[in-house]
Amino acid sequence: MNFAVLIPILLVYMGIMSWLAYYGYKKTVTESDYLVGGRNIHPAVMALSYGATFISTSAIVGFGGVSAAHGFSLLWLAFLNIVLGIFVAFAIFGTKIRKLSLNLNATTFPTLLGKRYDSKFITVFSGCMIFILMPAYTSIVLIGGGRFLQESMSMNFNLALILLASIIAIYVVTGGIKAVMYTDAFGAVVMLIGMAIFLFVTYQAVGGIIDGHSGLSAMKDLVPQALVDQGHQGWTSMPEFGSPLWWTIVSTIIMGVGIGVLAQPQLAMRCMTVKDDRALYRSVLVGGIFIFFMTGAAFVIGPLSNLYFYENTGEIALTAAKGNVDLIIPIFINQLMPDWFIYLFTLTLLSATISTISSLIHVQATAFGQDILKTLGVRSLFGSKLSPSRIGVLIGVIAAVILAYLLPAGIIAQATAFWFGICAAGFLPALIGALYWKRATKAAATASMIVGFTVSIIGFLFLHLKEAAAIGLSQSLFGKATVLPFPWTHIDPLFYALPLSAAVFVVVSLLDKSTSVKKQAEKGTIVPAVSE
């Protein structure tokens, strides 16, 4: 790698990012500017920021590596990402979220739920769940960026983590959501160009679309026996129905992330930043095209890397990466692409890392400063001149770095599915009720959220094999890795936590007559009509 070329490119890139962050800082005057961009962000900027936040190194490096191991079955997740993550999230949920947040003067996701249900407990509880659990997701995005810099630039992994974390902390502390969204939009353009070129060159390297897919299909007998025993039927086929691998792919990766996107606090907040519904409708096309190229490309490139590695080294991708799926895409890029593309893709991965983590840290910071401390009446900490939200930035960054050292290898996709699934179980019924059901009550939302998060956490601790075995609590208490046998060991907790939390929400709402939305509206808690 020619560092004499790379370093000037990085300096130009960071100069542009810094200027955008400074521009966001200068435009950040009020608290509303810091939290929701003054509600006047351009729809294209919003869509690109949403996409860049959604598609991080976890999708490109983590899920790209997982698709290399498991095959094209992950393309179903790309389909759900576009249908639910863009169309439903913008045109259906997004318009309601924007209007409700405007009516209630809500500037964060927990505050939106708390004000809608007239409950400080819901605001604080939601903020706590975000502040406590989101660092697990933030850290794996940081790991993905660090691993790529380690492989592509021969940089020390520890140095890469600290460097990325420091850059992100500066952006978020100074400029708030405007700085985050402006840098996100620029990063999204870089990501789109990088992934489009990567997809084209990959197909070119394996002989084109037809030869590439047929060649990969012919490699079915090369699937490792351990994966065959789990239900793997080749990289161009779905796993055997009902097998352990089928449950993992469908329940955890496809459904966990595909449904969980609708209840992501950092994504829902983007819908609060635009001026009107038309802006959201205009965002659908931009967002859909971006997600199509990003997730679709990653989930095609991953499996095809097996054909490339086998034709050039005699090994499949998993073997070439020594069993660590998080290293497959970085190694593939280094072997396949010329130096100039590695420079471009370095910017792509930097953009993905910085955009996603800055958004996640911003949400964690506002959860700490606005949703928890401000709701509880705390305006400052230890006499500091920094606002609690900005102190929350520093805490969130430190937590992400610490977890990046503690989490095991090959964890990126797994931790992503964990966060998306647990958000769906904990937040989605209450969010849907807040937007669409007048009978939804405070007691129902409270019970549903507690049940959703509790059942999800119990599932990960005692039932779902990967997390339960890694944590070891079930082994310590009961002498076995999980308390129930297959298929519970491979069914994502989302599959039972979400239906249970939804059932609790509906039943309690129907039984609870004292705090219906109608009565709250009479007291002025909820504003039923939207004024813009």
Side-chain angles (χ1 to χ4, degrees):
M1 178 174 289
N2 189 343
F3 285 95
V5 176
L6 176 60
I7 291 176
I9 292 174
L10 287 175
L11 290 175
V12 172
Y13 170 80
M14 294 308 300
I16 295 173
M17 294 284 280
S18 299
W19 181 83
L20 290 170
Y22 177 75
Y23 180 75
Y25 166 74
K26 295 297 289 184
K27 293 288 185 178
T28 300
V29 179
T30 67
E31 184 177 72
S32 175
D33 289 334
Y34 185 85
L35 297 173
V36 290
R39 301 186 188 273
N40 61 357
I41 297 293
H42 191 279
V45 173
M46 192 282 285
L48 290 172
S49 174
Y50 179 100
T53 302
F54 187 6
I55 305 302
S56 64
T57 48
S58 67
I60 300 172
V61 175
F63 281 85
V66 169
S67 68
H70 299 319
F72 287 135
S73 55
L74 266 71
L75 284 171
W76 283 108
L77 174 56
F79 173 76
L80 285 184
N81 287 161
I82 295 171
V83 174
L84 296 182
I86 297 296
F87 178 73
V88 173
F90 285 6
I92 300 177
F93 276 30
T95 54
K96 293 285 187 179
I97 290 173
R98 189 196 66 80
K99 291 175 182 177
L100 189 60
S101 69
L102 183 63
N103 277 343
L104 300 178
N105 192 29
T107 53
T108 69
F109 183 81
T111 302
L112 178 73
L113 293 179
K115 287 189 174 182
R116 163 60 178 80
Y117 291 109
D118 191 23
S119 170
K120 287 186 177 181
F121 173 82
I122 288 178
T123 300
V124 174
F125 179 79
S126 301
C128 287
M129 291 299 98
I130 291 170
F131 190 68
I132 293 171
L133 298 176
M134 188 180 274
Y137 178 40
T138 309
S139 65
I140 56 94
V141 179
L142 190 61
I143 290 172
R147 289 299 180 197
F148 181 78
L149 292 178
Q150 175 189 11
E151 290 296 320
S152 64
M153 298 178 62
S154 301
M155 182 181 290
N156 180 274
F157 179 66
N158 301 326
L159 176 61
L161 287 182
I162 299 301
L163 179 63
L164 289 172
S166 300
I167 292 171
I168 291 159
I170 293 170
Y171 285 159
V172 183
V173 165
T174 55
I177 195 67
K178 285 191 173 184
V180 169
M181 294 184 74
Y182 294 152
T183 54
D184 282 356
F186 171 69
V189 174
V190 175
M191 292 162 64
L192 185 59
I193 295 171
M195 288 302 290
I197 295 173
F198 192 14
L199 179 64
F200 175 79
V201 175
T202 298
Y203 269 122
Q204 189 178 50
V206 297
I209 296 175
I210 296 176
D211 289 346
H213 286 242
S214 60
L216 188 62
S217 296
M219 291 175 58
K220 177 181 177 181
D221 293 339
L222 296 175
V223 175
Q225 189 59 44
L227 288 176
V228 173
D229 294 341
Q230 291 289 308
H232 203 303
Q233 300 189 110
W235 288 284
T236 58
S237 302
M238 284 290 291
E240 181 183 353
F241 179 79
S243 65
L245 187 57
W246 185 90
W247 277 112
T248 297
I249 295 295
V250 173
S251 73
T252 299
I253 296 179
I254 297 176
M255 303 301 290
V257 178
I259 295 175
V261 65
L262 293 175
Q264 289 295 292
Q266 74 277 12
L267 299 181
M269 283 185 68
R270 293 298 184 274
C271 299
M272 303 180 190
T273 63
V274 295
K275 183 173 64 174
D276 53 30
D277 288 352
R278 190 169 73 170
L280 283 167
Y281 297 142
R282 290 165 61 190
S283 300
V284 171
L285 180 61
V286 176
I289 292 173
F290 180 81
I291 297 298
F292 173 79
F293 275 99
M294 298 303 296
T295 58
F299 301 159
V300 167
I301 291 168
L304 289 175
S305 68
N306 289 284
L307 180 58
Y308 175 85
F309 280 121
Y310 185 69
E311 290 179 343
N312 288 274
T313 67
E315 298 177 318
I316 63 170
L318 198 59
T319 306
K322 296 181 174 55
N324 186 351
V325 294
D326 293 345
L327 292 177
I328 290 175
I329 297 300
I331 292 173
F332 182 42
I333 291 171
N334 280 344
Q335 293 196 14
L336 172 66
M337 308 302 287
D339 281 351
W340 68 265
F341 181 82
I342 295 177
Y343 305 151
L344 175 63
F345 209 76
T346 297
L347 301 186
T348 299
L349 265 294
L350 278 175
S351 299
T353 302
I354 292 172
S355 62
T356 300
I357 297 182
S358 60
S359 297
L360 297 176
I361 293 296
H362 180 267
V363 172
Q364 291 172 59
T366 56
F368 179 74
Q370 296 289 316
D371 305 318
I372 300 173
L373 296 184
K374 188 175 180 180
T375 303
L376 295 175
V378 179
R379 300 289 175 174
S380 64
L381 288 176
F382 315 117
S384 173
K385 293 182 179 180
L386 284 177
S387 69
S389 291
R390 286 180 164 87
I391 293 175
V393 171
L394 302 178
I395 297 174
V397 169
I398 292 171
V401 172
I402 292 173
L403 283 173
Y405 285 112
L406 297 178
L407 292 175
I411 195 67
I412 293 178
Q414 184 181 341
T416 302
F418 161 80
W419 171 247
F420 275 64
I422 205 169
C423 278
F427 290 136
L428 193 54
L431 176 61
I432 293 175
L435 301 178
Y436 293 102
W437 195 24
K438 293 184 177 181
R439 284 289 304 274
T441 69
K442 174 169 64 176
T446 302
S448 172
M449 292 170 64
I450 292 174
V451 168
F453 279 107
T454 301
V455 173
S456 293
I457 292 171
I458 290 173
F460 284 117
L461 290 176
F462 299 104
L463 296 177
H464 201 242
L465 181 60
K466 283 190 176 180
E467 291 80 11
I471 295 170
L473 183 59
S474 177
Q475 186 70 43
S476 299
L477 295 178
F478 304 108
K480 48 187 178 181
T482 61
V483 297
L484 293 177
F486 178 81
W488 295 100
T489 52
H490 289 75
I491 296 176
D492 193 272
L494 169 76
F495 262 51
Y496 44 85
L498 178 56
L500 188 57
S501 66
V504 168
F505 183 78
V506 172
V507 171
V508 175
S509 287
L510 293 175
L511 294 178
D512 181 12
K513 307 296 183 181
S514 60
T515 56
S516 68
V517 171
K518 181 178 179 180
K519 290 183 179 180
Q520 292 180 53
E522 291 172 353
K523 294 187 294 182
T525 304
I526 302 298
V527 183
V530 176
S531 56
E532 303 199 35

